Amino acid sequence: MTEMNLVQAINSALRGALREDENVLLMGEDIGTLGGVFRVTQGLREEFGPDRVLDTPLSETGILGTAIGMALHGLRPVSEIQFADFIYPGFDQLVSEAAKYRYRTAGEFHVPMVVRTPYGGGIRGGQYHSQSPEALFIHTPGLKVVCPSNPYDAKGLLLEAIEDDDPVIFFEPKRVYRAVKMDVPDTTYRVPLGEGKVVRAGEQVTCLAWGAMLYEAFSAAEEVAKEGVDVEVIDLRTLWPLDIETITSSVKKTGRLVIVHEAPRTCGFGGELVALITERAFLHLEAPPVRVTGWDTPFPLTHEREYLPLVHRIAPVLLETARY
Amino acid sequence: MTEMNLVQAINSALRGALREDENVLLMGEDIGTLGGVFRVTQGLREEFGPDRVLDTPLSETGILGTAIGMALHGLRPVSEIQFADFIYPGFDQLVSEAAKYRYRTAGEFHVPMVVRTPYGGGIRGGQYHSQSPEALFIHTPGLKVVCPSNPYDAKGLLLEAIEDDDPVIFFEPKRVYRAVKMDVPDTTYRVPLGEGKVVRAGEQVTCLAWGAMLYEAFSAAEEVAKEGVDVEVIDLRTLWPLDIETITSSVKKTGRLVIVHEAPRTCGFGGELVALITERAFLHLEAPPVRVTGWDTPFPLTHEREYLPLVHRIAPVLLETARY
Amino acid sequence: MQVIRDDGSLDSKLDPGLSVDEVIALYKAMVRTRIVDDRLERIQRQGRIAFHVGSLGEEAAIVGAAAALRDRDWIVPCYREVGALLWRGYPLQRYVDHMYGNADDPVHGRQMPDHTFSRPHRYLAVSAPIGTQIPHAVGLAMAAKKRDLDECVGVFFGDGATSSNDFHAAMNFAGVFQPPVLFLCRNNGYAISLPVERQTATRTIAEKAAAYRVPAARVDGNDALAVFGAVREGVQRAANGGGPTFIELLTYRVGGHSTSDDPRIYRSEEEVDAWRDADPILRLRKHIEHRDVWNDDLDSDWRTVCDLEVKACVRRAEQKPAPELGEMFTDVYAEQPWHLREQQARSLGGPRAAAEEDES
Amino acid sequence: MQVIRDDGSLDSKLDPGLSVDEVIALYKAMVRTRIVDDRLERIQRQGRIAFHVGSLGEEAAIVGAAAALRDRDWIVPCYREVGALLWRGYPLQRYVDHMYGNADDPVHGRQMPDHTFSRPHRYLAVSAPIGTQIPHAVGLAMAAKKRDLDECVGVFFGDGATSSNDFHAAMNFAGVFQPPVLFLCRNNGYAISLPVERQTATRTIAEKAAAYRVPAARVDGNDALAVFGAVREGVQRAANGGGPTFIELLTYRVGGHSTSDDPRIYRSEEEVDAWRDADPILRLRKHIEHRDVWNDDLDSDWRTVCDLEVKACVRRAEQKPAPELGEMFTDVYAEQPWHLREQQARSLGGPRAAAEEDES
Ligand SMILES: Cc1ncc(C[n+]2csc(CCOP(=O)(O)OP(=O)(O)O)c2C)c(N)n1
Ligand SMILES: Cc1ncc(C[n+]2csc(CCOP(=O)(O)OP(=O)(O)O)c2C)c(N)n1
Ligand SMILES: [Mg+2]
Ligand SMILES: [Mg+2]
């Protein structure tokens, strides 16, 4: 066990994967000599050499396109996209190629790759260093989407994602990178994909969140507990394929659902969650499922704490929903 | 008035816009000499010359990126992306640039451009000539998304989109291109953006659809009418910003909602519509809002009629919902 | 660069030194490709298959290049290179089944016709988006290099694809990482309707390679032996650790872009006729006749063999049923997740089955 | 290409023929840019602004190029070119207000620092994604050409940006459509930590232009007059209907990539020192001193003026309040749609206002 923040835990996962499987390799902009702009890959080029930790030219198309080729050969490339906001130049390779390769070859070829990318706001990054584009990938059949909230899960989920035989988009909450510390095993343990986690049991409202907003949801739950409202908070951890069981049974119990995410509201993952749960637990619902989300604007700078669905926006919604 | 199919109506809109506003210009792959692979731009290069109807190199990045530059100069470029499936190489220019230019310059610059693109299945196009990616654009603040179902609306909406001062993604249901004919005025009339249309009034279930699936929804409504179920069918026409009034008041009346779309189910626009309506009309809902959609797989070929939410899949859901 | 002279003799300086058997095998494969193509085009016109994208006039560029690659080398196709796959021994029946999207289609009817692939033949999967395969080839070659394998990768693409994002990224990565990859650009004069002169301002495509410091050659793509020689040289460079090579194969798309196209709208008959005269199959035939190892009888025998073969495949393909509906829902992921299980169940059961009947 | 010799005299064959006043104006603008830069970096280090991306060492490439463009020409910036905007007379106060994202920030605090724009100054908007502005410049120039206006467009980008999709598309479109555009590539040796030698395999960046048949020049980017001359020549070509020009401005990023960067991790002090000696401001100063129109007194006076100016701007900027919260919700579209009206109302009212207080 070592106390680690999120950056260290991810670094530890990458180091473990590089040690245990010679097919694993890392690639991305500035990840080698510099160790990544967030230092997530610090020390790895030194330990594993430039053939396993590749500093690439400035091209997300190149990074993701060549990673697919490597994965088709049987390597397990882990690419870093410097900010999720910069994944779009390589979007075509992900949705047209990585996502569809298995299906279009009836399993004869597949693409075991991981795309790590820091996402989300709260670091004064403005429009292009704050986005949360998870919904675009959840909408793309063939991709898995993971978003850990804490160091322990991050390490275990990343190791699992690297072992996974399908392409996984791994969103890292950059706001949490250095903000949270916890004991993390030094082994290469796994956290399975597709399992959410009840981080706070409660009876009256189910609150779903992931990544950086998990903390806000949790704090809001604690806050409203003072007013006697008992909220169950679930950390989705894997966004897709979703842990539908855990969520549905929670809502069947509470009858009330609040979803928190940073991404713009419209056509965000929150809408899908509302629809899924409404389909499955309609007769259990005692209040309309509601979403506390980023607004439908580009991500702003000065007012980023007004844009984000922080405690002060979540708590009142939990109350309203509980008292509906 | 001339009887026109969808291709002819769109051609007529483009011709009208080119005639009336010298700032309008068309660009895209094969749209000039060939007149487009679906012949939508047939005859326009001959009439307006190669400076206003540009055959471009094979680059969606180039088409959309230079179109943005032209729009910033005050032109009104109308780009064609040959199939919606091929918009991804230019996705970055749309979401990072076109969508955000007004916001990031506080209105000092804006991007009056239209991106026309045929979408959807039903023409045996398989994975890469059948997609319906509207949700990706609806999720992007700053873009407007339009999808007409018939020649009259297509012409009027396209003319309005070209006049609009914001970037508009204009999805054309290629399955309908030559399948539907109707009388269309020869004038450059407009159909306003943001207004849905009740195409069949009904009391028991509200059914939302757009583009090619409108016909399926309509036929399914007719079919279940025989069994005494009275469905109100609304053609959204503009997907975003949505005509929330028309929809909400319909659902408040019927208490039941069915949404039909071709795109994969998960994180499609259907989820958003369920969430929006559940938020606004919860206490009016007498059945869970449901979605009849494309499956969460890449778009297949042989079984495309099983993939699409056609009448035979919609009708039973309308019945179930009505009888819930 | 041209190897076969007009009289069928070879430019001895450039002769790649193929044996008689090898040249005949190459010739026969080109003819077979052409005959398969013809047949598929014909049955498409009869509405028996949905679509076909052929290689009429480009057989030397495709089969000649495939022949110069070694068995252990990978082929990364665009979509016109089924001739290369057949060269490697892919069963014709399998290809025709794919064209029909029937129960024996290796991709279970999920893809449009002409979207082939085969791991045993080291042939990656065709996909429609232009250019996306080019970085895959570079990645594949980087993997081979990292694993210290004596493999190289030949990737096909058209002149139009040189305008794609992926071409640029792939070429640049190849220049920087020096993997054993061959960029095989079929410059066939058109990207659907756009002539290459309006695709890019350069006089040749080959000169683009210098922008990435990738060595380049430009050869007569209708001269199978010139293609063979240039590609073989690239393979040798790659195998010797010399990194990537770019080869422009100058040829011409004699047919339409695909069966959906009508090329008369954008080009003249005269232009096409000139290229018909430069037919790569005629050219190679002249050479083997010049070598005195081929004649009219052998030729018509071989054509008959090919024709019967493809007709038999078509006949069988037409008798096979459609793939199972359930196959629509597998292979999205390694294991089927809950939501696809549910969707599959919903699709197969319930009132739909009945309703379906009336529908079609 | 170099114009200013080591002793400050000019290579008469290459002398762009600027008057004394013009050269002094250029020099002063470069010094002012540097001083503004310095100050912003300092206040960033004190945590008073969030971020800054500077142009230390690249002033000749930026201001020299801007000076060679005509007022009616457009500038399409990357993110290091505020010197070009200031050259055009953009108010320094406005820039500093933007750096603070305060109520007078022209973009209402919506963007990170150094994301400037100005329609009156014909200066497009900085955005962070690398390369995206390059096709905008080509489109802008195509529009000018279509409208038959005597305008051209100069677009700035870095060496790293040449690997982007957008560079490739833009260059190719420029080759094909021949609009009046100048590609101004600041090759400053690095893309964050990646040295240009690993960005691409070519020896120069300029040679990439040949892949699109765009004429290219390569100049000493630390020689303001060489930059001026090359850009002016490009402007003339464009104005005469000669189409695009590519200019590689060879310079060096003496500072970190931005205030978030620590360049000591990936490069040596010696390397940086060598480039400090090649300082573009010192070089131009040598020339004006050689012309006998400048001296230490004038220099320190000007520096004092600039310093006082920027300090005053900072002082004022710090006193201004934050932008209105409501400005978060406007300018997404020309007219605010219903959903943003609702969201704005929800954001401004209710229990949040109170809760907010405790929060920060
Ligand atoms: C990204 C993308 N844009 C557009 C298309 C439509 N399209 C299909 S083939 C083609 C032309 C390709 O030309 P080229 O690369 O020269 O190959 P060729 O067909 O001549 O062999 C186009 C534009 C596509 N498939 N993908
Ligand atoms: C598409 C994209 N990918 C990655 C980044 C992160 N990033 C910001 S600046 C930069 C380096 C740019 O280098 P260069 O083009 O040489 O410009 P310079 O900073 O040297 O002026 C990178 C990788 C980005 N902004 N956009
Ligand atoms: Mg071609
Ligand atoms: Mg640089």
Side-chain angles (χ1 to χ4, degrees):
Chain A
M1 286 285 188
T2 310
E3 196 181 61
M4 295 185 193
N5 63 26
L6 191 66
V7 164
Q8 292 162 328
I10 295 169
N11 182 282
S12 165
L14 293 171
R15 176 173 279 114
L18 285 161
R19 283 196 185 145
E20 291 185 0
D21 184 352
E22 61 178 17
N23 292 322
V24 172
L25 108 188
L26 315 186
M27 55 195 301
E29 295 157 13
D30 305 294
I31 67 160
T33 314
L34 182 63
V37 295
F38 289 102
R39 304 294 185 274
V40 174
T41 52
Q42 198 159 39
L44 300 179
R45 187 172 172 111
E46 287 82 339
E47 181 171 346
F48 300 98
D51 290 345
R52 298 192 67 200
V53 183
L54 277 68
D55 268 327
T56 67
L58 205 170
S59 167
E60 289 73 18
T61 298
I63 295 168
L64 299 172
T66 58
I68 291 171
M70 292 178 190
L72 289 169
H73 202 285
L75 298 182
R76 293 185 174 270
V78 182
S79 307
E80 176 177 302
I81 297 297
Q82 203 163 84
F83 287 85
D85 318 59
F86 303 139
I87 207 164
Y88 307 123
F91 193 66
D92 189 37
Q93 282 289 345
L94 292 176
V95 305
S96 298
E97 297 294 328
K100 297 178 174 56
Y101 224 107
R102 179 187 290 281
Y103 192 74
R104 78 163 187 252
T105 60
E108 206 164 293
F109 292 97
H110 66 282
V111 181
M113 71 192 276
V114 175
V115 181
R116 294 179 38 242
T117 187
Y119 87 94
I123 61 148
R124 300 188 65 66
Q127 284 183 29
Y128 297 107
H129 299 82
S130 307
Q131 293 172 38
S132 301
E134 66 274 6
L136 308 184
F137 300 98
I138 299 172
H139 187 47
T140 305
L143 300 180
K144 295 183 175 177
V145 183
V146 173
C147 184
S149 66
N150 64 61
Y152 178 89
D153 284 349
K155 180 173 177 180
L157 286 166
L158 182 52
L159 284 161
E160 183 76 8
I162 293 172
E163 273 277 291
D164 199 277
D165 281 334
D166 290 307
V168 179
I169 317 293
F170 192 86
F171 286 105
E172 302 173 359
K174 66 173 100 73
R175 187 173 187 246
V176 180
Y177 265 159
R178 294 172 192 281
V180 174
K181 284 194 177 190
M182 65 197 289
D183 277 343
V184 172
D186 299 311
T187 57
T188 51
Y189 66 96
R190 304 289 156 81
V191 173
L193 304 190
E195 295 186 8
K197 191 168 148 199
V198 177
V199 295
R200 185 185 194 286
E203 297 296 323
Q204 288 172 273
V205 182
T206 301
C207 182
L208 306 180
W210 56 89
M213 290 306 106
L214 196 262
Y215 300 91
E216 302 294 326
F218 189 86
S219 305
E222 294 290 311
E223 195 171 304
V224 300
K226 294 178 212 148
E227 308 200 32
V229 171
D230 186 23
V231 178
E232 177 147 305
V233 180
I234 302 177
D235 181 354
L236 298 188
R237 304 201 295 185
T238 297
L239 306 189
W240 202 257
L242 185 69
D243 183 352
I244 189 72
E245 286 303 325
T246 302
I247 298 168
T248 312
S249 60
S250 174
V251 178
K252 284 188 177 162
K253 174 179 71 177
T254 61
R256 294 176 152 88
L257 177 62
V258 172
I259 296 150
V260 180
H261 67 64
E262 295 186 40
R265 178 183 200 75
T266 298
C267 261
F269 189 36
E272 177 61 37
L273 291 166
V274 170
L276 272 175
I277 297 308
T278 307
E279 280 161 12
R280 281 160 195 269
F282 184 68
L283 295 178
H284 297 82
L285 288 176
E286 289 167 49
V290 282
R291 299 173 283 171
V292 191
T293 68
W295 309 115
D296 283 322
T297 72
F299 199 102
L301 182 82
T302 301
H303 294 306
E304 71 171 333
R305 298 177 65 78
E306 307 293 327
Y307 181 89
L308 290 170
L310 303 183
V311 179
H312 62 285
R313 283 176 53 203
I314 303 169
V317 175
L318 290 173
L319 287 179
E320 269 171 53
T321 300
R323 292 167 184 166
Y324 188 85
Chain B
M1 286 285 188
T2 309
E3 196 183 57
M4 294 185 194
N5 64 25
L6 191 65
V7 165
Q8 292 163 328
I10 295 169
N11 182 281
S12 165
L14 294 171
R15 176 172 280 115
L18 284 161
R19 281 197 186 144
E20 290 186 1
D21 183 352
E22 61 179 19
N23 292 322
V24 172
L25 110 186
L26 315 187
M27 55 195 301
E29 295 158 13
D30 305 295
I31 67 161
T33 313
L34 181 63
V37 295
F38 289 103
R39 306 293 186 274
V40 174
T41 51
Q42 198 159 40
L44 299 178
R45 188 172 171 112
E46 287 82 339
E47 181 170 345
F48 300 98
D51 289 346
R52 297 190 68 199
V53 183
L54 277 67
D55 268 325
T56 66
L58 205 170
S59 167
E60 289 73 17
T61 298
I63 294 169
L64 299 172
T66 58
I68 291 171
M70 292 178 190
L72 289 168
H73 202 285
L75 298 181
R76 294 186 174 268
V78 182
S79 305
E80 175 177 302
I81 298 297
Q82 204 164 84
F83 287 85
D85 317 59
F86 303 138
I87 207 164
Y88 307 123
F91 194 65
D92 190 37
Q93 282 289 346
L94 291 177
V95 304
S96 298
E97 297 293 328
K100 298 178 173 57
Y101 224 106
R102 178 186 293 279
Y103 192 74
R104 78 163 187 253
T105 61
E108 206 164 294
F109 291 97
H110 66 283
V111 182
M113 72 193 275
V114 175
V115 181
R116 295 179 35 243
T117 188
Y119 87 94
I123 61 147
R124 300 187 64 67
Q127 285 182 29
Y128 298 106
H129 299 82
S130 307
Q131 293 171 39
S132 301
E134 66 274 6
L136 308 184
F137 301 97
I138 298 172
H139 187 47
T140 305
L143 300 180
K144 295 184 176 177
V145 182
V146 173
C147 183
S149 66
N150 64 61
Y152 178 88
D153 284 348
K155 180 172 177 180
L157 286 165
L158 182 53
L159 284 162
E160 184 76 9
I162 293 171
E163 273 277 288
D164 199 277
D165 280 335
D166 291 308
V168 179
I169 317 292
F170 192 86
F171 286 104
E172 302 173 359
K174 65 172 101 74
R175 188 173 187 248
V176 180
Y177 265 160
R178 293 171 193 282
V180 173
K181 285 194 174 188
M182 65 197 290
D183 277 344
V184 172
D186 299 310
T187 56
T188 51
Y189 66 97
R190 304 290 155 82
V191 173
L193 303 191
E195 294 186 9
K197 191 169 147 197
V198 176
V199 295
R200 185 186 194 286
E203 296 297 323
Q204 288 171 272
V205 182
T206 300
C207 181
L208 306 181
W210 57 89
M213 291 306 106
L214 196 263
Y215 300 92
E216 302 294 325
F218 189 85
S219 304
E222 293 290 312
E223 195 171 305
V224 301
K226 295 178 210 146
E227 308 200 30
V229 171
D230 186 25
V231 178
E232 178 146 306
V233 181
I234 301 178
D235 181 353
L236 298 187
R237 304 200 295 188
T238 297
L239 306 189
W240 204 258
L242 185 69
D243 183 351
I244 190 71
E245 286 303 325
T246 302
I247 299 167
T248 313
S249 60
S250 174
V251 177
K252 284 189 176 160
K253 174 179 70 178
T254 62
R256 294 175 154 89
L257 176 62
V258 173
I259 297 150
V260 180
H261 67 63
E262 295 187 41
R265 176 183 202 74
T266 298
C267 261
F269 189 35
E272 177 60 37
L273 292 167
V274 170
L276 272 176
I277 296 309
T278 307
E279 280 161 12
R280 280 157 198 270
F282 184 69
L283 295 178
H284 297 82
L285 287 176
E286 290 167 48
V290 283
R291 300 173 282 171
V292 191
T293 68
W295 309 114
D296 283 322
T297 73
F299 199 101
L301 181 81
T302 302
H303 295 305
E304 73 171 332
R305 297 177 65 80
E306 307 292 328
Y307 181 89
L308 290 170
L310 302 184
V311 179
H312 62 286
R313 283 176 55 202
I314 303 169
V317 175
L318 290 174
L319 288 179
E320 270 170 53
T321 300
R323 292 167 183 167
Y324 188 85
Chain C
M1 205 185 87
Q2 196 169 317
V3 174
I4 308 177
R5 299 208 192 91
D6 285 350
D7 64 358
S9 69
L10 299 187
D11 179 332
S12 59
K13 285 193 305 294
L14 299 172
D15 177 4
L18 290 191
S19 71
V20 161
D21 286 352
E22 287 170 328
V23 184
I24 290 181
L26 191 52
Y27 176 76
K28 286 168 100 177
M30 285 166 58
V31 170
R32 183 164 174 252
T33 300
R34 169 90 46 105
I35 288 172
V36 170
D37 225 355
D38 275 354
R39 177 64 47 189
L40 291 171
E41 196 157 325
R42 227 173 297 173
I43 63 180
Q44 194 283 334
R45 246 183 273 119
Q46 296 162 359
R48 289 152 70 192
I49 58 174
F51 174 84
H52 174 52
V53 49
S55 62
L56 187 61
E58 302 184 50
E59 295 90 347
I62 292 162
V63 185
L69 294 165
R70 304 160 305 172
D71 284 351
R72 62 175 163 285
D73 298 329
W74 294 82
I75 294 178
V76 181
C78 167
Y79 43 65
R80 271 186 218 291
E81 294 86 7
V82 77
L85 183 57
L86 295 174
W87 168 265
R88 289 210 160 168
Y90 188 83
L92 185 61
Q93 183 67 55
R94 214 166 151 75
Y95 172 48
V96 177
D97 285 337
H98 164 63
M99 295 302 291
Y100 276 84
N102 65 26
D104 282 351
D105 172 10
V107 71
H108 308 319
R110 291 175 191 153
Q111 282 263 55
M112 274 179 82
D114 279 310
H115 284 57
T116 51
F117 58 89
S118 177
R119 180 175 275 286
H121 298 92
R122 298 198 158 216
Y123 187 94
L124 254 53
V126 170
S127 77
I130 291 297
T132 47
Q133 78 279 16
I134 315 177
H136 302 173
V138 173
L140 208 60
M142 288 170 77
K145 183 176 176 183
K146 175 184 177 295
R147 293 172 148 185
D148 223 358
L149 297 170
D150 178 21
E151 290 173 6
C152 70
V153 182
V155 54
F156 286 98
F157 52 91
D159 44 294
T162 63
S163 294
S164 69
N165 299 336
D166 306 273
F167 169 80
H168 182 59
M171 290 293 289
N172 193 43
F173 273 53
V176 168
F177 294 108
Q178 294 287 307
V181 61
L182 282 84
F183 297 97
L184 306 170
C185 179
R186 290 183 292 92
N187 178 355
N188 62 6
Y190 285 89
I192 307 186
S193 71
L194 194 73
V196 65
E197 299 78 32
R198 287 200 280 137
Q199 185 68 246
T200 188
T202 55
R203 265 173 281 234
T204 71
I205 298 285
E207 65 199 276
K208 290 182 182 292
Y212 313 95
R213 211 172 166 202
V214 169
R218 188 165 193 248
V219 300
D220 182 341
N222 281 11
D223 178 338
L225 298 184
V227 172
F228 184 95
V231 174
R232 187 43 68 90
E233 209 179 299
V235 169
Q236 273 152 5
R237 171 180 295 134
N240 294 332
T245 301
F246 182 96
I247 301 171
E248 177 179 356
L249 305 164
L250 250 174
T251 178
Y252 189 81
R253 200 197 70 210
V254 174
H257 169 72
S258 72
T259 50
S260 313
D261 187 32
D262 180 1
R264 289 166 308 177
I265 300 177
Y266 52 82
R267 67 186 188 185
S268 69
E269 275 304 320
E270 296 79 62
E271 181 186 312
V272 182
D273 285 343
W275 281 94
R276 275 189 217 277
D277 295 342
D279 189 279
I281 290 182
L282 283 181
R283 180 99 69 97
L284 192 57
R285 178 165 170 186
K286 226 178 214 156
H287 168 62
I288 48 180
E289 288 182 353
H290 178 88
R291 275 190 167 182
D292 249 348
V293 292
W294 199 254
N295 58 38
D296 285 356
D297 283 351
L298 288 171
D299 207 73
S300 75
D301 283 358
W302 175 243
R303 286 176 188 268
T304 308
V305 167
C306 295
D307 213 46
L308 291 174
E309 183 195 13
V310 61
K311 278 182 179 154
C313 290
V314 165
R315 211 174 316 112
R316 281 190 292 266
E318 294 195 335
Q319 281 153 12
K320 298 183 185 180
E324 299 284 321
L325 184 52
E327 314 219 76
M328 188 159 63
F329 297 95
T330 53
D331 299 324
V332 181
Y333 302 93
E335 282 173 41
Q336 194 180 42
W338 64 269
H339 66 289
L340 286 166
R341 267 200 309 280
E342 283 189 8
Q343 292 180 17
Q344 177 165 353
R346 215 176 311 153
S347 133
L348 295 177
R352 287 194 46 264
E356 230 275 295
E357 290 303 287
D358 324 336
E359 244 261 315
S360 51
Chain D
M1 202 185 91
Q2 198 167 315
V3 174
I4 308 177
R5 298 207 192 90
D6 286 350
D7 65 356
S9 70
L10 298 188
D11 179 333
S12 60
K13 283 192 305 294
L14 298 172
D15 177 5
L18 291 191
S19 71
V20 161
D21 286 353
E22 287 169 328
V23 184
I24 290 181
L26 190 52
Y27 175 76
K28 287 169 100 176
M30 285 166 58
V31 169
R32 182 163 175 253
T33 300
R34 169 90 46 105
I35 288 172
V36 170
D37 226 353
D38 277 352
R39 176 64 47 191
L40 291 172
E41 195 156 326
R42 227 173 298 174
I43 63 181
Q44 195 282 335
R45 247 184 269 118
Q46 297 161 359
R48 289 152 69 194
I49 57 174
F51 174 86
H52 174 51
V53 49
S55 62
L56 186 60
E58 302 184 51
E59 295 89 348
I62 294 162
V63 185
L69 293 166
R70 303 161 304 174
D71 284 351
R72 63 173 161 286
D73 298 329
W74 294 82
I75 293 178
V76 181
C78 169
Y79 43 64
R80 274 187 217 291
E81 295 85 7
V82 76
L85 182 57
L86 295 174
W87 168 265
R88 288 209 161 168
Y90 187 82
L92 185 61
Q93 183 66 55
R94 211 164 153 77
Y95 172 49
V96 176
D97 285 337
H98 164 63
M99 294 303 290
Y100 276 84
N102 67 25
D104 281 350
D105 171 11
V107 70
H108 308 317
R110 292 176 190 154
Q111 282 263 55
M112 274 178 79
D114 279 311
H115 284 57
T116 49
F117 57 89
S118 177
R119 180 175 275 286
H121 299 91
R122 299 196 158 218
Y123 187 93
L124 254 51
V126 170
S127 77
I130 291 297
T132 46
Q133 78 280 17
I134 315 177
H136 302 173
V138 173
L140 209 60
M142 287 170 77
K145 183 176 175 182
K146 176 185 177 293
R147 292 174 148 181
D148 224 355
L149 296 170
D150 178 20
E151 290 174 4
C152 68
V153 182
V155 54
F156 286 99
F157 52 92
D159 44 296
T162 62
S163 294
S164 70
N165 299 337
D166 307 272
F167 168 80
H168 182 59
M171 291 292 290
N172 194 42
F173 273 55
V176 169
F177 295 109
Q178 295 287 308
V181 61
L182 282 82
F183 297 97
L184 306 170
C185 180
R186 290 183 292 91
N187 178 356
N188 63 4
Y190 285 89
I192 308 186
S193 71
L194 194 74
V196 65
E197 299 78 34
R198 289 201 280 137
Q199 185 67 245
T200 188
T202 55
R203 264 172 281 237
T204 71
I205 298 286
E207 65 198 276
K208 290 183 183 291
Y212 313 95
R213 211 171 166 199
V214 169
R218 188 166 193 246
V219 300
D220 182 340
N222 281 11
D223 177 338
L225 299 183
V227 172
F228 184 94
V231 175
R232 185 44 67 91
E233 210 179 299
V235 170
Q236 273 152 4
R237 171 179 294 135
N240 294 333
T245 301
F246 183 96
I247 301 172
E248 177 178 357
L249 306 163
L250 251 175
T251 178
Y252 190 81
R253 200 197 70 210
V254 174
H257 169 71
S258 72
T259 50
S260 313
D261 186 32
D262 179 1
R264 288 166 308 177
I265 301 177
Y266 53 80
R267 66 185 189 186
S268 70
E269 274 305 320
E270 296 79 64
E271 181 186 312
V272 182
D273 285 343
W275 280 95
R276 276 190 216 278
D277 296 342
D279 189 279
I281 290 182
L282 285 180
R283 180 100 68 95
L284 192 58
R285 178 165 172 186
K286 221 172 219 164
H287 169 61
I288 48 181
E289 288 183 353
H290 178 89
R291 274 192 168 181
D292 252 348
V293 292
W294 198 254
N295 57 37
D296 284 356
D297 283 351
L298 287 172
D299 207 72
S300 76
D301 282 359
W302 176 243
R303 286 175 188 270
T304 309
V305 167
C306 294
D307 212 45
L308 290 175
E309 183 195 14
V310 61
K311 279 182 180 153
C313 290
V314 165
R315 211 175 318 113
R316 281 189 292 265
E318 293 194 335
Q319 281 152 12
K320 298 183 185 180
E324 298 285 323
L325 185 50
E327 315 220 74
M328 187 158 64
F329 296 94
T330 53
D331 298 324
V332 181
Y333 301 93
E335 282 174 42
Q336 194 179 43
W338 63 269
H339 66 289
L340 286 167
R341 268 200 310 278
E342 282 189 9
Q343 292 180 18
Q344 176 165 355
R346 216 178 310 153
S347 135
L348 295 177
R352 287 196 46 264
E356 229 275 295
E357 289 302 288
D358 324 336
E359 244 260 314
S360 52

